[in-house]
Amino acid sequence: MKLPQSAFIREVGPRDGLQNEKQFVSTEKKLEWINLLVESGLSYIEVSSFVRPDWIPQLSDSVDLFTRLKKKDGVTYAALVPNKRGLMSAFEVDADEINFFVSASETHNLKNKNASTEHSMSDIRSMITECKNNKKTTRAYISTVFGCPYEGAVDQMKVINLANQLLDCGVDEISLGDTIGIANPLQVNQFLENLVKEVPVNRIAMHFHDTYGRAIANLYTSLLFGIEKFDSSNGGLGGCPYAPGASGNVATEDVVSLLHNLGITTNVDEKKLHQATSYISEQMNLKPVSKLFSVWNGSKESI
Amino acid sequence: MKLPQSAFIREVGPRDGLQNEKQFVSTEKKLEWINLLVESGLSYIEVSSFVRPDWIPQLSDSVDLFTRLKKKDGVTYAALVPNKRGLMSAFEVDADEINFFVSASETHNLKNKNASTEHSMSDIRSMITECKNNKKTTRAYISTVFGCPYEGAVDQMKVINLANQLLDCGVDEISLGDTIGIANPLQVNQFLENLVKEVPVNRIAMHFHDTYGRAIANLYTSLLFGIEKFDSSNGGLGGCPYAPGASGNVATEDVVSLLHNLGITTNVDEKKLHQATSYISEQMNLKPVSKLFSVWNGSKESI
């Protein structure tokens, strides 16, 4: 087992982070935050989602937000869509990449999408085809991979089966989500041992939440399997509104710090990233979850 | 590599936790907190230290605190001592175990103990002998094992050499401290590969800080080497006053949650532990660092 030389962050703060915070952050502030994230070197931003505005009012400005983005070359500005109506909106605003989601747990999928997993997969298949026709790259989230707040344990073979189905219909990347942060490194290890036999590692991203403080441990375990792509949220913002008790995506700053400490390159400038963390924290009057933040702000000596 | 079946927590909150918090917690409240910790099933409490009261005023009531403890059978109530004067006090109050400390980094040892590492080791040797004569078990902390805030990298062979010296003079347990939370799991892995060749694993405890969010990852890595003893602080309180930027011991609740999730027994009741976390957080008006706390307090559904 050998660590990769470089790794790639999918910054999901503006979408996955904000959707579970109560406050509405103005479009102007979102634009400023996204610019700071891009300036730090992040090359993938999940900007927003095209869900029903009454479901997730925090992201109700997604059309306006995408329209006003000043895109930087080499950066992917992605949109999450739940259905064809959302897909049409994402096409209209010319999102660079379209992201879909399905849950490995039937109950979670039902609560999240009001449909069976099979029905959701059928919709996603058809939408991926439309994306290909429109020359858009695609990404699919499989959520509750390591446990469901309603059903408990999740069958790992069902996850691998869903991943294979998604790859068969041509999705570019699959993000495997520990939606409630319940995974432990032993479980991640056992799961990935099976997964890598069936699925090409370079099409997989891991999406960890830090509810139980295990996200970095799980992420490190994934690195040992050659996985190079990770979702994270600046400031550790977010969670999942349909997963009770879920708290916070792993913080981008903790992920970048780990990767650099391991000698893995990311193209992210930690000091510039800290400016983005400071900005969104101040705007939302929240304390960033990463303890690193207090090191940056409080320490007179570099460590 | 196989995980141990059970693990043992050394609760250092009342000493290592409180010493780096600005507030003075009254003796009464400390007693109540310690009782709650013991009631949760923790069988080892580092109660306080016998340092100069003007150096660490938060722990200036250590004599009073030890005198008023209502000890429970089967629980070890330990005292940290910096020197012979402290040792005498610890003997007088009949502390169950005496804990010493030395730093693997000369500069850190100088700032922490105003002495060279060699000088400190000579003092510790002589104090361990006195403890043996008084039938007290002993524990020695080696700090800055994975990095020093003043010197940077720390020679791993120096750490192993110090550990061997301590074992030679009969210390019962050695706690290896990542004082500034800088370690990563790769580094812990490489270090432990060397350590376990030279030192019996059952005499070693690991002491991780969570400054960069890596404590749980480092702890999991240690479990894979058969290490069963871990220092942690309820609520994630604490740090090190002589290590700028150091923030917070790993939270006991995160450690227990990980261990139970891995199927490793601890004898700790998580719900009762949560009562201790709630108590000390309310008394100190601090938010516990563990995100788990918000799950316990905020979630209506069990996960």
Side-chain angles (χ1 to χ4, degrees):
Chain A
M1 283 182 160
K2 210 183 149 195
L3 295 172
Q5 292 191 315
S6 52
F8 306 90
I9 310 278
R10 303 335 193 182
E11 171 59 50
V12 298
R15 195 279 303 172
D16 200 13
L18 292 186
Q19 79 171 20
N20 204 36
E21 302 291 343
K22 285 178 189 154
Q23 308 169 48
F24 180 79
V25 175
S26 73
T27 313
E28 201 62 51
K29 288 177 181 174
K30 285 175 184 159
L31 286 164
E32 176 63 19
W33 182 31
I34 290 168
N35 280 339
L36 288 168
L37 291 167
V38 168
E39 283 308 310
S40 80
L42 290 161
S43 60
Y44 189 103
I45 314 283
E46 194 175 53
V47 172
S48 192
S49 74
F50 292 96
V51 291
R52 273 172 50 184
D54 56 331
W55 279 31
I56 303 188
Q58 300 92 317
L59 305 183
S60 57
D61 62 341
S62 50
V63 170
D64 194 27
L65 180 57
F66 264 99
T67 310
R68 291 167 64 188
L69 278 177
K70 290 200 181 75
K71 290 190 182 176
K72 187 176 171 177
D73 280 353
V75 175
T76 301
Y77 297 83
L80 186 77
V81 308
N83 52 30
K84 295 206 179 181
R85 181 191 289 239
L87 182 63
M88 289 308 113
S89 302
F91 284 161
E92 277 162 29
V93 300
D94 198 23
D96 298 330
E97 182 161 293
I98 315 290
N99 300 355
F100 307 104
F101 56 102
V102 63
S103 180
S105 138
E106 281 295 337
T107 315
H108 188 263
N109 201 69
L110 198 67
K111 297 224 181 202
N112 213 359
K113 303 200 76 171
N114 204 20
S116 69
T117 299
E118 198 182 325
H119 187 98
S120 291
M121 283 298 289
S122 163
D123 283 351
I124 290 172
R125 241 178 243 115
S126 135
M127 290 192 285
I128 288 176
T129 305
E130 288 195 58
C131 286
K132 289 191 169 298
N133 294 340
N134 283 272
K135 300 198 189 317
K136 295 286 181 196
T137 58
T138 54
R139 175 174 226 245
Y141 291 97
I142 303 178
S143 54
T144 67
V145 165
F146 298 97
C148 166
Y150 309 107
E151 295 185 13
V154 166
D155 179 3
Q156 303 291 274
M157 289 318 295
K158 185 169 181 195
V159 177
I160 294 174
N161 184 25
L162 284 174
N164 272 323
Q165 287 181 48
L166 287 162
L167 290 170
D168 285 348
C169 60
V171 77
D172 294 289
E173 188 168 303
I174 295 173
S175 170
L176 298 171
D178 180 20
T179 312
I180 55 172
I182 194 76
N184 68 53
L186 180 66
Q187 189 186 7
V188 172
N189 193 84
Q190 287 165 342
F191 170 69
L192 290 179
E193 272 182 355
N194 291 322
L195 183 82
V196 298
K197 289 177 198 154
E198 302 235 13
V199 172
V201 159
N202 63 0
R203 303 274 286 278
I204 297 295
M206 299 302 289
H207 177 111
F208 291 114
H209 282 233
D210 201 31
T211 320
Y212 299 86
R214 300 178 206 143
I216 290 291
N218 294 332
L219 193 147
Y220 178 74
T221 302
S222 312
L223 282 168
L224 294 171
F225 284 87
I227 288 173
E228 297 182 343
K229 296 167 191 168
F230 300 98
D231 301 356
S232 62
S233 169
N234 183 218
L237 289 174
C240 174
Y242 303 103
S247 89
N249 292 271
V250 64
T252 304
E253 47 275 29
D254 282 344
V255 176
V256 172
S257 159
L258 172 77
L259 293 167
H260 289 180
N261 201 249
L262 292 167
I264 298 170
T265 59
T266 67
N267 204 34
V268 177
D269 179 317
E270 291 191 60
K271 284 193 180 169
K272 287 187 180 171
L273 180 61
H274 179 62
Q275 290 171 15
T277 318
S278 294
Y279 178 79
I280 193 63
S281 309
E282 280 168 26
Q283 297 306 323
M284 298 184 72
N285 199 24
L286 289 173
K287 194 177 169 229
V289 297
S290 171
K291 289 161 209 105
L292 189 53
F293 194 77
S294 59
V295 177
W296 280 106
N297 278 4
S299 173
K300 283 173 190 149
E301 312 205 20
S302 68
I303 289 173
Chain B
M1 282 182 159
K2 209 182 151 196
L3 295 173
Q5 292 190 314
S6 52
F8 306 90
I9 309 279
R10 304 333 195 182
E11 172 59 51
V12 299
R15 196 279 303 173
D16 200 15
L18 292 186
Q19 77 171 20
N20 203 36
E21 301 292 342
K22 285 177 189 155
Q23 309 169 48
F24 179 79
V25 175
S26 74
T27 312
E28 203 62 51
K29 289 177 181 173
K30 284 176 185 160
L31 286 164
E32 176 64 21
W33 182 30
I34 290 168
N35 280 339
L36 288 167
L37 292 167
V38 168
E39 284 309 308
S40 80
L42 290 162
S43 61
Y44 189 103
I45 314 283
E46 193 175 54
V47 173
S48 192
S49 74
F50 291 96
V51 292
R52 273 173 49 184
D54 55 332
W55 278 32
I56 303 187
Q58 300 93 317
L59 305 183
S60 57
D61 62 341
S62 50
V63 170
D64 195 28
L65 180 58
F66 264 99
T67 310
R68 292 167 63 189
L69 277 178
K70 290 199 182 76
K71 290 190 182 177
K72 186 176 172 178
D73 280 353
V75 176
T76 302
Y77 297 85
L80 186 76
V81 309
N83 52 31
K84 295 206 180 184
R85 178 191 292 239
L87 182 63
M88 289 309 112
S89 302
F91 284 160
E92 277 162 30
V93 299
D94 197 24
D96 297 330
E97 181 161 291
I98 315 291
N99 300 355
F100 307 103
F101 56 102
V102 63
S103 180
S105 136
E106 282 296 336
T107 314
H108 188 263
N109 201 69
L110 198 67
K111 298 225 181 201
N112 213 359
K113 303 201 74 170
N114 203 23
S116 69
T117 298
E118 198 182 325
H119 187 98
S120 292
M121 283 298 289
S122 164
D123 283 352
I124 290 172
R125 240 178 244 114
S126 137
M127 292 191 285
I128 288 176
T129 303
E130 287 194 59
C131 286
K132 289 191 169 298
N133 294 340
N134 284 273
K135 301 200 189 314
K136 295 287 182 197
T137 57
T138 55
R139 174 174 227 244
Y141 291 97
I142 303 177
S143 55
T144 66
V145 165
F146 298 98
C148 167
Y150 309 108
E151 294 184 13
V154 166
D155 179 3
Q156 302 290 275
M157 289 319 294
K158 186 171 178 192
V159 177
I160 294 175
N161 185 24
L162 284 175
N164 272 323
Q165 286 181 50
L166 287 161
L167 291 170
D168 286 347
C169 59
V171 78
D172 293 289
E173 187 168 304
I174 295 172
S175 169
L176 298 171
D178 180 21
T179 312
I180 54 173
I182 194 76
N184 68 53
L186 180 66
Q187 189 186 6
V188 172
N189 193 82
Q190 288 166 342
F191 170 68
L192 291 179
E193 274 181 354
N194 291 321
L195 183 81
V196 297
K197 288 177 199 155
E198 302 233 13
V199 173
V201 159
N202 64 359
R203 304 275 286 279
I204 297 295
M206 300 302 288
H207 176 110
F208 291 115
H209 282 234
D210 202 31
T211 321
Y212 298 86
R214 300 177 206 147
I216 290 292
N218 294 332
L219 194 148
Y220 178 75
T221 302
S222 311
L223 283 167
L224 294 172
F225 284 87
I227 288 174
E228 296 181 344
K229 296 167 190 168
F230 299 98
D231 300 356
S232 63
S233 170
N234 183 219
L237 288 173
C240 174
Y242 303 103
S247 90
N249 293 271
V250 64
T252 304
E253 48 275 30
D254 282 343
V255 176
V256 172
S257 159
L258 172 77
L259 293 167
H260 289 180
N261 201 248
L262 290 167
I264 298 171
T265 60
T266 67
N267 204 35
V268 177
D269 179 316
E270 290 191 62
K271 284 192 182 169
K272 287 187 180 171
L273 180 61
H274 179 63
Q275 289 171 16
T277 318
S278 293
Y279 178 80
I280 193 62
S281 308
E282 280 168 26
Q283 296 306 321
M284 297 185 72
N285 198 24
L286 289 172
K287 194 176 169 231
V289 297
S290 171
K291 288 159 211 108
L292 188 52
F293 193 76
S294 58
V295 177
W296 281 104
N297 278 4
S299 174
K300 282 173 194 151
E301 311 205 21
S302 68
I303 291 172

